[in-house]
Amino acid sequence: MSQEIASSGWGRFRASSADFLHRKGVMGFLFTLPADIILLLLLAYPFVLGIWLSFTNTIIGRSGSFVGLSNYISLFHSNIFWLTAFNTVFYTCVAVFFKLILGFGLAIILNQDFKGKGLIRAIVLLPWIVPTALSAIAFWWIFDSNFSCINWLLLKIGLLKTPIDFLGNTINARLSVVLVNIWRGIPFFTIGLMAGLQTINQSLYEAADIDGATPWVKFKSITLPLIMPLLSVITTFSIIWTFADFQLIWILTRGGPDNATHIFGTLSFQRAIAGGHLGEGAAISAFIFPVLFISVLITSKYLKREN
Amino acid sequence: MKQKAWTKFLRFYLPLGLFLLFLLFPFYWMFATTFKSDAELYNLKLNPFLIHHWSLVNLKHLFYQTPFLRWLWNTFFVAITSTLISLSTSLLAAYGIQRIRFKGSSMMGIGIFFCYLVPPTILFIPLATMVFKLHLWDSLWALSLIYPTFLIPFCTWLLMGYFNSIPKELEECAMMDGASRMWIFWRVIIPLSLPGILSAGIFAFTLSWNEYLYALTFISTSLKKTVSVGLVTELVRGDIYHWGPLMAGALFGSVPVALVYSFFVEYYVAGITGALKE
């Protein structure tokens, strides 16, 4: 296509010294250059640098030397690392599952026509808009060991005899951080899926009604298949974001108690920035790569289909 | 008829109400805590869900005893500069990829999209060493330059979708008249895509306002911190949590983005859905 135009009359007409600049390849290259420079320098280069660092013993303030796989080997011998790997998978699976179910449910509710729909839809997005670090502070206070309002309510109405220690014991802390992640992630699923639901042709449902289909059958055989591509992309995004999460857990628990809520992001921050061991930290964050790789594969499948 | 109202309630209003309660309660809790005095906050005999005596003592603490306004300004500065950098470069890139259609342009489009999937958690360590070498450690400019790495992919993708909706004939006419690419870009494309530019800009602004990991890693001086980082480091001292001022800070740190968002909510929703549909 580009060749065609360049060699047509229009292209020859401009055959001058400026011709070079006006060739499509050169022109396109120049337009994308500023973005390319920033992304190459501050994204692609650090991406590679991070892999290199994971093979070195670099410490903050001192450049390290190549140590081969020794960072990885010491991680494999560390219980904290394996616990972190478990926590990351647990956190991702449970949170994404509930975000998907609840987000989809809310999308279906909001997809009906009712008064104040625009306003409700706008309000529903708030957990997604507001800085996560700040809402995490609010949850930190909601989960406070002495003054939790949830405990106050449950004790008052007699559902509890002793207060729940939300962030103080391992199982509760894990569930609490998952809950906050779900809270934050529902709106993304809801708004994304609502957009998909609106594109479904209503006549399909009308035809199904004539055939006497139940709501479940309509959902299973019309809604779900048609929304599947979009749902897959949204879920993939959510998986990579949740797997590589950091701020929410760092504020609520800092990975504690007893490393029960450490995920790859928080452990690598603790080792690299708080502890100064950049090489070891880089090795920990390298374990995010496989999930990143899989999400790239999945999204590219759908991108190609669209094209 | 009565039966129908009940099913409507059970199927629609009840679940919707529960969702709203769950999603909005933390904001109410920030608000309620902000306007209570310590005496009321730590009195378990009082119903914590109500404000019994309104008090401004937490706001006084936040605004007079912490550099909160300075943090707001820092966050604002970084959000504006990184948004401007990202918008201008993304506009050019999106136009180049979507409209000039040179060899490899679609590959480049997909490549830029994948950049959006790369999470900050795998970049912050190498970036920390780079920031140090570039003498940008503890400087807000480090954030202004690094935030575009996640803003550009998003904005470019969104704007590509938008440019796609502008009829090609407009450009071809201008080209027939001998207009240059730059002229067309500036005089035809930009004015026609203002709504798209606006949603990309709002998105970029909220995304950088919300960033936490880079700001936590690269900034160490209290006066240079952003809101989310500054609050926790200044208002939690060892075991002492100043919950009142903390909640006031969370509330007032959220208000600017919530305001920007509320004015342009349609563009914002269009942004998410547009980016997903592409």
Side-chain angles (χ1 to χ4, degrees), chain A residues 24 27-28 31 41-42 46 102 114 121-123 125 129-131 140-142 152 183 195 244 247 281 285 292, chain B residues 19 22-24 29 33 44 48 92 100 102 117 121-122 125-126 145 181 210 212 241 243 254 261 266 268 273:
Chain A
K24 283 208 154 189
M27 207 64 196
F31 267 88
L41 230 59
L42 295 173
L102 294 172
F114 59 93
R121 193 178 61 171
I123 289 176
L125 251 178
I129 310 294
V130 163
W140 196 16
W141 169 224
I142 290 174
W152 187 91
W183 175 84
Q247 48 180 339
S285 54
L292 175 66
Chain B
F19 267 116
F22 176 52
L23 294 175
L24 296 183
W29 199 233
T33 309
L44 285 171
L92 290 168
I100 303 186
F102 55 97
L117 286 172
T121 17
I122 60 180
I125 295 172
L145 287 174
R181 278 283 182 191
N210 295 357
Y212 182 73
Y241 302 87
W243 286 118
S254 306
Y261 163 70
E266 284 311 313
Y268 198 93
T273 54

Side-chain angles (χ1 to χ4, degrees), chain A residues 87-106:
Chain A
N87 293 336
T88 313
V89 174
F90 176 83
Y91 182 70
T92 309
C93 292
V94 179
V96 172
F97 176 78
F98 283 102
K99 281 188 274 193
L100 197 161
I101 300 287
L102 294 172
F104 207 158
L106 185 56

Side-chain angles (χ1 to χ4, degrees), chain A residues 43-61:
Chain A
L43 192 126
Y45 173 68
F47 190 86
V48 178
L49 182 65
I51 300 175
W52 163 251
L53 281 173
S54 75
F55 295 113
T56 69
N57 57 3
T58 311
I59 294 177
I60 284 184

Side-chain angles (χ1 to χ4, degrees), chain A residues 14 21-22 40 61 100 140 148 156 198 264 276 278-279 284 293:
Chain A
R14 285 216 156 187
L21 264 182
H22 289 276
L40 282 176
L100 197 161
W140 196 16
S148 164
K156 194 83 182 171
Q198 275 154 14
F264 288 134
L278 294 171
I284 296 167
F293 187 66

Side-chain angles (χ1 to χ4, degrees), chain A:
Chain A
M1 175 75 176
S2 61
Q3 238 85 46
E4 243 172 68
I5 294 180
S7 60
S8 70
W10 197 83
R12 254 177 279 136
F13 181 71
R14 285 216 156 187
S16 61
S17 57
D19 185 48
F20 177 72
L21 264 182
H22 289 276
R23 251 187 271 159
K24 283 208 154 189
V26 180
M27 207 64 196
F29 175 77
L30 286 177
F31 267 88
T32 55
L33 194 62
D36 292 340
I37 291 176
I38 293 180
L39 292 177
L40 282 176
L41 230 59
L42 295 173
L43 192 126
Y45 173 68
F47 190 86
V48 178
L49 182 65
I51 300 175
W52 163 251
L53 281 173
S54 75
F55 295 113
T56 69
N57 57 3
T58 311
I59 294 177
I60 284 184
R62 178 175 71 81
S63 56
S65 47
F66 184 75
V67 293
L69 287 170
S70 85
N71 284 328
Y72 290 94
I73 292 168
S74 70
L75 284 180
F76 283 135
H77 289 294
S78 132
N79 289 331
I80 293 178
F81 173 77
W82 288 111
L83 182 64
T84 302
F86 166 77
N87 293 336
T88 313
V89 174
F90 176 83
Y91 182 70
T92 309
C93 292
V94 179
V96 172
F97 176 78
F98 283 102
K99 281 188 274 193
L100 197 161
I101 300 287
L102 294 172
F104 207 158
L106 185 56
I108 289 171
I109 295 174
L110 291 181
N111 199 40
Q112 304 171 44
D113 280 319
F114 59 93
K115 233 179 167 178
K117 184 173 172 173
L119 181 70
I120 300 272
R121 193 178 61 171
I123 289 176
V124 155
L125 251 178
L126 273 176
W128 181 257
I129 310 294
V130 163
T132 308
L134 301 181
S135 43
I137 300 175
F139 273 101
W140 196 16
W141 169 224
I142 290 174
F143 293 145
D144 186 80
S145 52
N146 297 316
F147 300 98
S148 164
C149 56
I150 303 175
N151 278 334
W152 187 91
L153 184 70
L154 294 179
L155 289 166
K156 194 83 182 171
I157 58 176
L159 277 174
L160 278 184
K161 288 269 175 322
T162 53
I164 304 170
D165 190 2
F166 289 99
L167 300 173
N169 89 35
T170 53
I171 293 174
N172 286 350
R174 271 192 200 121
L175 296 178
S176 302
V177 291
V178 165
L179 180 82
V180 181
N181 186 287
I182 294 169
W183 175 84
R184 194 196 107 93
I186 287 178
F188 176 66
F189 274 91
T190 301
I191 298 298
L193 289 174
M194 270 178 79
L197 289 175
Q198 275 154 14
T199 61
I200 297 178
N201 194 337
Q202 287 302 312
S203 62
L204 291 171
Y205 293 110
E206 284 155 18
D209 278 333
I210 293 167
D211 293 341
T214 61
W216 170 245
V217 168
K218 281 191 280 183
F219 175 77
K220 202 182 62 176
S221 31
I222 300 173
T223 314
L224 208 52
L226 285 175
I227 213 159
M228 210 52 200
L230 182 65
L231 185 63
S232 310
V233 173
I234 295 176
T235 311
T236 311
F237 267 94
S238 182
I239 289 174
I240 179 69
W241 285 336
T242 314
F243 197 83
D245 200 4
F246 169 79
Q247 48 180 339
L248 206 160
I249 292 189
W250 190 253
I251 285 176
L252 282 171
T253 63
R254 303 230 158 168
D258 294 329
N259 305 307
T261 56
H262 255 314
I263 57 174
F264 288 134
T266 55
L267 188 69
S268 78
F269 182 88
Q270 197 190 52
R271 293 289 162 86
I273 306 300
H277 295 274
L278 294 171
E280 197 190 346
I284 296 167
S285 54
F287 285 88
I288 298 170
F289 280 60
V291 173
L292 175 66
F293 187 66
I294 294 168
S295 7
V296 166
L297 282 184
I298 296 177
T299 40
S300 66
K301 194 181 114 190
Y302 285 102
L303 285 181
K304 278 198 192 110
R305 191 178 287 174
E306 298 270 313
N307 285 350

